[in-house]
Amino acid sequence: MEKIRIGIYWAASCGGCDVSLLEIDEQILDVAAKADFVLWPCATDTKYADLRAYKDGSIDIVLFNGAIRTEENREIAKLLRDKAKHLVAYGSCAQMGGVIGLANLSSRKEIFTTLFGAKTHWPKEESIQDGYPLHLPAFLDRLLPLGDVVEVDYVIPGCPPPREMVSQFFDALLGGKLPEKGAVFAAEKNLCDECPRERREERITRIVRPHEIESDPEICLLDQGIICMGPATRGGCGAACPMANMPCTGCAGPTANITDQGATMLNTIASLIGTGLEGEEELEAEEAILAEIDDVIGTFYRFSLAASIFKGAQRE
Amino acid sequence: MAKLNDNGFEPKIVAFLCRWCSYAGADLAGVSRMTYPANIIPMRVNCSGRVDAGMVMAAFEKGADGVLIGGCHPGDCHYVNGNYKTRRRVILLKRALAEVGVKPQRLHLEWISASEGVKFQRTVTEFTGLIKELGPSPMSGDGED
Amino acid sequence: MSRIGVFVCHCGMNIERTVDTQAVAATLSEHSGVVFTTDYNFLCADPGQRLIRDAIAEHKLDGIIVAACSPAMHEPTFRRVAAEAGLNPYLCEIANIREHCSWVHQDRDKATQKAIRIVKTLVEKVRGNQPLEPLRIDHDDKCLVIGGGIAGIQAALDVAESGFEVILVEKEPSIGGHMAQLSETFPTLDCSQCILTPKMVEVSRHPNVRLLTYSEVVEVTGYVGNYEVKIRKNPTYVDPDKCNLCGECVKVCPKSVGSEFERGLVERKAIYIPFEQAIPSSYTLDEEACLGLHPLRCSECAKVCEPKAIDYDMRPEYIEESVGAIIVATGYSLYPISSLTEYGGGQIPDVIDGLQFERLLSASGPTSGEVRRPSDGKIPKKVVFIQCAGSRDPERHNAYCSKICCMYTTKHALLYRHAVPDGEAVVFYIDIRAGGKGYEEFTQHAIEEERILYLRGKVSKVYRQDDRVVVWGVDTLSNRRVEIEADLVVLAISMNPHPSNLALSKILKISCDADGFLKEAHPKLRPVESLTAGIFLAGAAQGPKDIPEAVSQSSGAAVKAVTLLTKDKLIHSPEVVEIDEAICGGCGICVDMCPYNALAVNGAGVAEVNEVLCEGCGSCVSACPTGAAQLKNMTTQQFVEMIEVALQDG
């Protein structure tokens, strides 16, 4: 039987996604037996020239992690789209920009100034280094999720994708049972569905950060004033963070029919915040609780800003 | 009252009006033949409490320069307390808008009762004037700066 | 929906003058899915309606938009027309291009463009609509009335007279409420008990009324038309069927406490009858006051009871009933006099509240109608009446106006002057609010002809000096300080919500307002309904009221209840929330948002809607973090599409 040809690529990424592939333990032996890795920059040395030489559609599946931050990321994404039969957005950054998508709150100029100082110190796209011309790929104005550049067939969400989801994906791939295009390798329901904490249907009367209180491991974190993105986030990870006494931060993205995860969670939190009474007299108290959320975008759009309706900062 | 800036810009404004108060207030403005700018496109919702951040952002995304939400006065909500829930959402959403650099004034929540035709007229007139002054929304373009 | 029809009305010149209806129809005919458009002079007239019916049939339309006046005007009309043509009425929508467009704009071009946008949004809405059938619900045909004061009695009688069974629940041992305590009523000065007692008898004897006194509603579940009610009947320890009212028990009972009916002016025994005309006419043994409910502890009453009516082993009895409607008539209480320390309330015995004064004036009261002050029984020669005591004082007391005090103070002063012809009556007032039939005349008569001194101003302090009560105040009309040495001070104390309102509102899942009165569904248009369908409000439970107002509201509430009970089936809008079970993770956030308790997370961990309770506000939809909760025919997707076409150019 012919081996499955797998490609793995990292664009703007931290490397955690590549590591997460190894979390499938002994299933990796199965993968090795049935598949060849024809591209994996993190583990093997493949040149772009080799990649370009592949026939279109000759790679069965490409797992693409990282977001599109540079012209190079965009170019390779397009190239891989051509070479791959199936393209998978692997991890939060490829899926929706990820945590690095928050850089979209700043302009390229602001980012470069923070990083390199005065404009004279900025790296140049074209320069001579040690006598050789050096071309640096252009830094895009805005970071983009993979889906904004090319068509994506599947999503394996998470930062990084948890073992259960990766394993589920390889089962499907090796078993020749890939689902219909558009599938997300995670639960259809939100995290609350698999979270064992008990929600008491209480109002949020104060906002605290996880380190500020000793939270009750049995009770819903929202009930305790810790903003947990679980309600607006796909399950599939087994509520890993809430199980470890930390709130969900939304890395798996929203459920299927939500277009904007941050706006949705904003709705939920604003609905829940209150003194327990609803009334004109409560306005001040409500405003005070709302004011305890600092960094609205960073809280609700931690992973999804680049894929949101906002996409990033708007200049006006 | 905001002065009307005749800069030739005709903004598009989506108005979500609750069925029991603000929509009826707009009806009364009509019955009383009060005139106001034609820039708003009214949409009826059962309760201002139904207006969520996603709807407001969809409006901005699809090209609105301003979004007006009309609800019942405090204590008068037909559905007990939907207006308070929307008030909280608007407070938070305005902060989100400000954080991404959109002028939060582009989103406006007003309590307009069924008997306040005059207030409806005044609100729409002033809000349209304000949005004219602010100019086109940065979100109504392609989003790139 | 792919065969949509758009009908644009001229409304004579009302729309046509500023909106080019032909242009609207022409533009819409290009819109995706629209297969028929027309404009017509008056669509609401018979020929217009026929035109719509014919077009639905001829063009096999599966959705229509009538662009005309506000849906508040003719939505029912055109939905009926659609139904007549065999189209589900929920597939007909109204685009408001008159009130929201032609009447408010003058520029014909701009108005036409706006009208096109408005109509397009409704086309998108209809495209996403699903055919719906109104929900039809069976119901019980009994009515529960909570509270046996004049409001509850009136409501119970009206419902019972309409042929429906009524369960009248009263917390106290007798029905009658505060009206039974009053001496005479303003402005006609009828004797309160003389007009009340026949009603008490009538309600107790009515074949359709089941009277449960000394009873409380402890649990209510269900929904409009189908409430399950649990009532606790507290033990009176006296069998009313055996009791022959001889009163021997009272004579031997060793324990006395302040009489509630007499507002503490005299004492009653632990075994007592609240007042002579009490219904049911039977004794009650007050468990808390009694020395021990046990033959070994006291048992003096049981020993002397010839008919053996006293039963120490009586236990609370729980009664369960299914009712279709509930009328809440819990009445009021008085603002505690002890909170009015600036007036010596609770400290000076000769500073009393209005209801105490009623008892002093009443022929059946502790002084047999002679006005004698509590401290020493002397007939007071100078009485000061202080209005707004505890009312209209947002800083210290209640912010609201208790409404009835102006009138009863006039009555008090007048009755006092009749009882003590050489006595002097002084009234301190802020304003005199005498709105009501014959009220102003009554007050004017008292001021002008009964020699009652009305001083406009607030009293700052009341204190005791020897056996007199000194009142310090300001006459703001002459701007001078006033100091009056009085024999008795009567405070027109603020009406408070009944203390049971809060607990009861939780049991019934209805709201209280900020002051603690029960909240009506709409302050102007639905004043006798609560926001919970099938629960109605009567009397002072909803806010301060005098007797005629309480009685009218009770009859109003009764009609509302009867209207509901008379129906074969209850009809409920089908535009309610539905939950996509495939997505819902059972977080329960919607449950907390619903003001009607229409949602619950079921055993399968998924939110479930009780469609009958859902009013369609969409608070849960806005809060739902997964998009699983959607309002039928008003889905998020529909709104997004409506927004898109509203903003589309060209």
Side-chain angles (χ1 to χ4, degrees):
Chain A
M1 201 182 120
E2 214 169 304
K3 282 192 159 183
I4 301 166
R5 290 162 59 83
I6 301 179
I8 292 164
Y9 186 75
W10 56 2
S13 132
C14 69
C17 281
D18 281 280
V19 177
S20 75
L21 284 164
L22 305 178
E23 279 197 78
I24 55 174
D25 301 335
E26 65 276 8
Q27 195 183 12
I28 200 118
L29 301 173
D30 261 354
V31 177
K34 294 184 183 163
D36 275 337
F37 288 86
V38 299
L39 168 76
W40 193 353
C42 173
T44 64
D45 187 14
T46 315
K47 302 290 185 232
Y48 284 162
D50 303 334
L51 182 57
R52 287 197 180 90
Y54 287 146
K55 274 197 207 124
D56 281 1
S58 64
I59 308 177
D60 290 305
I61 196 155
V62 168
L63 306 183
F64 190 107
N65 72 66
I68 308 299
R69 176 77 268 186
T70 65
E71 198 53 62
E72 179 194 20
N73 300 151
R74 174 143 67 184
E75 188 189 331
I76 301 299
K78 284 180 177 166
L79 185 64
L80 286 171
R81 178 68 271 187
D82 291 341
K83 304 298 174 195
K85 285 198 188 88
H86 301 288
L87 179 65
V88 182
Y90 187 97
S92 309
C93 296
Q95 180 197 5
M96 40 184 189
V99 79
I100 52 174
L102 287 175
N104 282 354
L105 288 173
S106 309
S107 66
R108 182 171 54 170
K109 185 177 161 193
E110 286 161 349
I111 293 170
F112 276 28
T113 306
T114 305
L115 267 176
F116 305 111
K119 197 164 183 178
T120 47
H121 296 112
W122 292 6
K124 293 181 178 54
E125 281 179 29
E126 305 296 339
S127 63
I128 304 289
Q129 298 283 324
D130 303 331
Y132 293 98
L134 175 69
H135 168 77
L136 288 178
F139 190 88
L140 303 179
D141 286 328
R142 234 175 216 175
L143 178 142
L144 305 168
L146 179 61
D148 278 14
V149 177
V150 291
E151 198 187 326
V152 168
D153 302 320
Y154 302 114
V155 174
I156 304 176
C159 181
R163 204 187 70 83
E164 299 86 340
M165 296 180 192
V166 181
S167 178
Q168 192 194 341
F169 163 74
F170 277 117
D171 276 345
L173 177 68
L174 302 181
K177 287 175 195 149
L178 282 177
E180 272 186 42
K181 285 196 176 185
V184 178
F185 284 87
E188 287 301 307
K189 300 195 174 200
N190 62 4
L191 206 79
C192 306
D193 186 49
E194 49 200 38
C195 180
R197 287 171 179 266
E198 181 200 347
R199 211 183 103 69
R200 296 190 165 166
E201 283 151 30
E202 278 173 7
R203 290 305 167 98
I204 299 175
T205 54
R206 57 167 188 172
I207 303 286
V208 291
R209 299 178 68 189
H211 67 273
E212 290 174 325
I213 58 163
E214 203 166 305
S215 59
D216 184 329
E218 308 287 322
I219 307 294
C220 171
L221 290 163
L222 285 173
D223 283 348
Q224 303 182 61
I226 295 171
I227 295 183
C228 173
M229 287 286 287
T233 304
R234 261 181 199 274
C237 58
C241 296
M243 292 285 280
N245 235 4
M246 287 300 284
C248 168
T249 49
C251 71
T255 49
N257 49 357
I258 295 293
T259 44
D260 196 297
Q261 186 185 19
T264 305
M265 195 60 198
L266 183 150
N267 286 330
T268 302
I269 291 290
S271 298
L272 282 176
I273 274 178
T275 57
L277 298 169
E278 294 279 5
E280 181 62 358
E281 318 69 42
E282 308 304 314
L283 175 60
E284 260 180 54
E286 288 175 2
E287 279 180 348
I289 307 168
L290 289 165
E292 288 169 6
I293 305 175
D294 43 37
D295 188 8
V296 175
I297 296 293
T299 303
F300 298 117
Y301 288 94
R302 186 164 304 172
F303 292 90
S304 68
L305 179 64
S308 72
I309 292 175
F310 287 134
K311 294 185 174 68
Q314 311 285 332
R315 308 281 158 205
E316 97 167 289
Chain B
M1 189 160 162
K3 75 171 186 292
L4 283 176
N5 183 350
D6 203 10
N7 54 9
F9 166 56
E10 288 295 347
K12 287 190 237 168
I13 296 167
V14 171
F16 298 107
L17 306 175
C18 84
R19 177 190 205 117
W20 305 97
C21 290
S22 303
Y23 191 95
D27 276 355
L28 181 62
V31 171
S32 318
R33 309 296 200 278
M34 296 166 179
T35 58
Y36 52 80
N39 303 68
I40 74 151
I41 305 124
M43 276 184 215
R44 188 171 72 162
V45 290
N46 276 357
C47 176
S48 59
R50 171 62 193 93
V51 183
D52 62 40
M55 283 159 71
V56 173
M57 284 169 61
F60 282 123
E61 183 190 24
K62 311 280 182 202
D65 301 297
V67 175
L68 175 68
I69 304 171
C72 303
H73 279 270
D76 291 350
C77 176
H78 184 79
Y79 301 103
V80 191
N81 51 32
N83 51 353
Y84 301 133
K85 293 165 189 159
T86 274
R87 180 174 66 188
R88 297 199 288 270
R89 279 194 289 273
V90 166
I91 292 171
L92 215 46
L93 188 52
K94 274 172 173 276
R95 285 183 51 202
L97 287 169
E99 283 181 24
V100 297
V102 176
K103 295 242 161 66
Q105 303 96 294
R106 291 188 184 277
L107 170 61
H108 185 67
L109 171 65
E110 190 75 49
W111 308 137
I112 303 169
S113 82
S115 61
E116 292 178 322
V118 176
K119 187 171 183 188
F120 184 82
Q121 176 200 37
R122 191 179 64 229
T123 302
V124 171
T125 307
E126 289 181 1
F127 189 57
T128 308
L130 173 77
I131 300 299
K132 271 195 182 192
E133 275 188 23
L134 291 180
S137 160
M139 287 179 72
S140 62
D142 62 358
E144 301 275 338
D145 24 26
Chain C
M1 231 137 278
S2 54
R3 301 195 61 80
I4 294 170
V6 176
F7 302 83
V8 189
C9 186
H10 302 183
C11 195
M13 285 308 284
N14 278 310
I15 293 172
E16 186 59 32
R17 185 175 292 118
T18 35
V19 171
D20 182 345
T21 53
Q22 263 187 311
V24 174
T27 308
L28 265 295
S29 68
E30 306 289 315
H31 196 79
S32 142
V34 176
V35 295
F36 177 82
T37 61
T38 190
D39 59 283
Y40 190 74
N41 199 15
F42 283 109
L43 285 168
C44 62
D46 276 347
Q49 295 189 19
R50 195 176 320 125
L51 180 150
I52 295 173
R53 278 194 299 268
D54 291 349
I56 292 172
E58 188 183 335
H59 299 277
K60 299 188 170 53
L61 301 179
D62 56 8
I64 62 167
I65 285 87
V66 180
C69 50
S70 169
M73 294 287 297
H74 277 309
E75 189 176 80
T77 311
F78 292 117
R79 287 196 163 171
R80 177 180 49 74
V81 170
E84 284 164 2
L87 183 67
N88 184 288
Y90 293 92
L91 303 178
C92 164
E93 292 287 351
I94 311 299
N96 182 349
I97 59 166
R98 191 180 73 175
E99 282 84 344
H100 288 193
C101 190
S102 72
W103 274 352
V104 289
H105 307 309
Q106 285 159 329
D107 182 322
R108 189 170 160 87
D109 195 38
K110 282 183 179 171
T112 304
Q113 289 313 310
K114 177 175 167 182
I116 290 168
R117 289 181 194 276
I118 292 175
V119 180
K120 279 183 179 174
T121 62
L122 275 304
V123 171
E124 291 314 309
K125 179 168 190 316
V126 162
R127 201 194 303 282
N129 278 4
Q130 45 178 316
L132 300 174
E133 292 300 330
L135 304 167
R136 296 167 63 81
I137 318 157
D138 287 320
H139 63 84
D140 285 306
D141 42 17
K142 285 186 203 166
C143 179
L144 170 71
V145 177
I146 306 173
I150 182 58
I153 291 173
Q154 184 64 44
L157 279 173
D158 287 345
V159 175
E161 275 299 295
S162 309
F164 295 98
E165 222 176 291
V166 176
I167 298 135
L168 176 58
V169 175
E170 167 59 50
K171 210 173 177 198
E172 302 296 329
S174 170
I175 55 170
H178 286 306
M179 189 176 167
Q181 291 173 292
L182 306 183
S183 54
E184 285 159 32
T185 57
F186 62 78
T188 46
L189 301 183
D190 315 66
C191 150
S192 185
Q193 284 209 338
C194 311
I195 54 176
L196 175 67
T197 318
K199 290 226 168 219
M200 289 166 61
V201 173
E202 194 185 347
V203 81
S204 68
R205 299 238 171 108
H206 201 289
N208 280 344
V209 177
R210 178 177 184 194
L211 180 59
L212 296 172
T213 50
Y214 218 42
S215 302
E216 287 167 71
V217 173
V218 290
E219 197 180 301
V220 175
T221 55
Y223 50 88
V224 55
N226 296 276
Y227 289 109
E228 301 296 326
V229 182
K230 194 169 170 187
I231 299 156
R232 184 181 63 226
K233 184 157 179 41
N234 297 316
T236 59
Y237 303 103
V238 179
D239 183 343
D241 295 334
K242 289 187 187 161
C243 174
N244 61 8
L245 294 168
C246 66
E248 290 302 319
C249 53
V250 175
K251 289 181 196 155
V252 297
C253 177
K255 182 71 191 293
S256 295
V257 290
S259 158
E260 295 86 356
F261 185 78
E262 301 295 355
R263 302 275 312 158
L265 290 171
V266 290
E267 295 196 316
R268 63 154 171 89
K269 293 294 182 61
I271 191 159
Y272 71 111
I273 186 160
F275 53 100
E276 279 174 42
Q277 303 88 334
I279 288 180
S281 193
S282 173
Y283 283 83
T284 300
L285 177 51
D286 174 355
E287 190 180 331
E288 269 179 47
C290 176
L291 291 177
L293 285 176
H294 195 281
L296 293 179
R297 302 288 266 287
C298 170
S299 81
E300 292 299 324
C301 52
K303 280 182 211 153
V304 297
C305 184
E306 264 182 22
K308 305 279 173 226
I310 292 169
D311 172 10
Y312 294 134
D313 295 327
M314 221 181 248
R315 290 287 168 267
E317 191 186 333
Y318 288 91
I319 298 155
E320 288 181 13
E321 287 278 2
S322 302
V323 301
I326 299 173
I327 296 173
V328 192
T330 44
Y332 66 95
S333 64
L334 284 191
Y335 189 76
I337 192 166
S338 55
S339 301
L340 290 159
T341 46
E342 64 270 39
Y343 297 155
Q347 291 140 30
I348 307 172
D350 293 328
V351 174
I352 62 172
D353 67 38
L355 274 179
Q356 286 175 316
F357 198 61
E358 292 286 346
R359 296 314 300 152
L360 294 180
L361 290 168
S362 172
S364 63
T367 55
S368 306
E370 278 188 20
V371 178
R372 292 183 180 276
R373 65 182 196 175
S375 62
D376 52 12
K378 272 190 197 159
I379 293 177
K381 295 294 179 191
K382 193 163 198 172
V383 181
V384 171
F385 298 88
I386 303 175
Q387 293 197 179
C388 301
S391 300
R392 305 175 70 194
D393 190 347
E395 268 122 54
R396 286 181 297 181
H397 306 297
N398 290 329
Y400 54 86
C401 165
S402 287
K403 198 172 182 181
I404 64 165
C405 327
C406 287
M407 295 312 300
Y408 80 60
T409 299
T410 303
K411 178 190 77 179
H412 283 169
L414 200 144
L415 291 176
Y416 164 70
R417 290 271 300 111
H418 289 181
V420 186
D422 61 338
E424 239 183 288
V426 181
V427 177
F428 277 95
Y429 71 101
I430 303 179
D431 304 288
I432 299 173
R433 298 184 168 174
K437 204 169 173 178
Y439 289 10
E440 176 65 16
E441 296 88 325
F442 181 63
T443 315
Q444 284 309 322
H445 166 80
I447 296 171
E448 286 161 14
E449 289 165 41
E450 301 281 352
R451 291 195 303 108
I452 296 164
L453 178 61
Y454 267 74
L455 289 178
R456 187 174 185 281
K458 196 121 181 148
V459 170
S460 59
K461 193 177 169 187
V462 174
Y463 63 95
R464 197 171 188 177
Q465 199 169 61
D466 304 324
D467 69 336
R468 309 207 80 187
V469 187
V470 186
V471 178
W472 273 8
V474 183
D475 176 357
T476 52
L477 291 182
S478 61
N479 234 344
R480 71 195 160 86
R481 270 194 48 202
V482 186
E483 188 180 324
I484 299 171
E485 283 187 24
D487 299 310
L488 181 68
V489 170
V490 180
L491 303 180
I493 285 195
S494 182
M495 253 185 179
N496 254 17
H498 196 278
S500 64
N501 272 13
L502 195 61
L504 195 60
S505 71
K506 284 186 179 144
I507 291 172
L508 293 168
K509 300 180 184 76
I510 58 178
S511 318
C512 285
D513 61 26
D515 298 316
F517 292 104
L518 299 177
K519 194 165 160 37
E520 63 288 329
H522 189 282
K524 283 101 192 167
L525 301 177
R526 297 172 68 194
V528 305
E529 293 160 76
S530 77
L531 265 162
T532 303
I535 300 183
F536 307 102
L537 312 176
Q542 181 253 349
K545 278 187 193 63
D546 62 16
I547 296 166
E549 278 183 319
V551 169
S552 341
Q553 201 196 11
S554 299
S555 290
V559 168
K560 288 282 175 192
V562 167
T563 307
L564 189 156
L565 299 175
T566 315
K567 284 185 176 140
D568 176 32
K569 300 259 184 189
L570 301 182
I571 301 291
H572 187 77
S573 165
E575 288 175 316
V576 293
V577 164
E578 60 184 338
I579 304 286
D580 184 341
E581 292 185 8
I583 299 170
C584 175
C587 64
I589 287 164
C590 55
V591 177
D592 200 24
M593 286 302 114
C594 181
Y596 307 101
N597 298 291
L599 287 147
V601 176
N602 67 17
V606 172
E608 207 173 73
V609 186
N610 184 337
E611 294 192 326
V612 176
L613 294 182
C614 176
E615 294 281 327
C617 67
S619 274
C620 56
V621 180
S622 298
C624 175
T626 63
Q630 289 295 342
L631 262 182
K632 284 181 187 170
N633 289 0
M634 277 170 267
T635 63
T636 306
Q637 190 56 33
Q638 277 176 295
F639 277 120
V640 170
E641 271 148 22
M642 289 166 73
I643 291 164
E644 180 152 12
V645 293
L647 295 164
Q648 228 167 39
D649 286 318

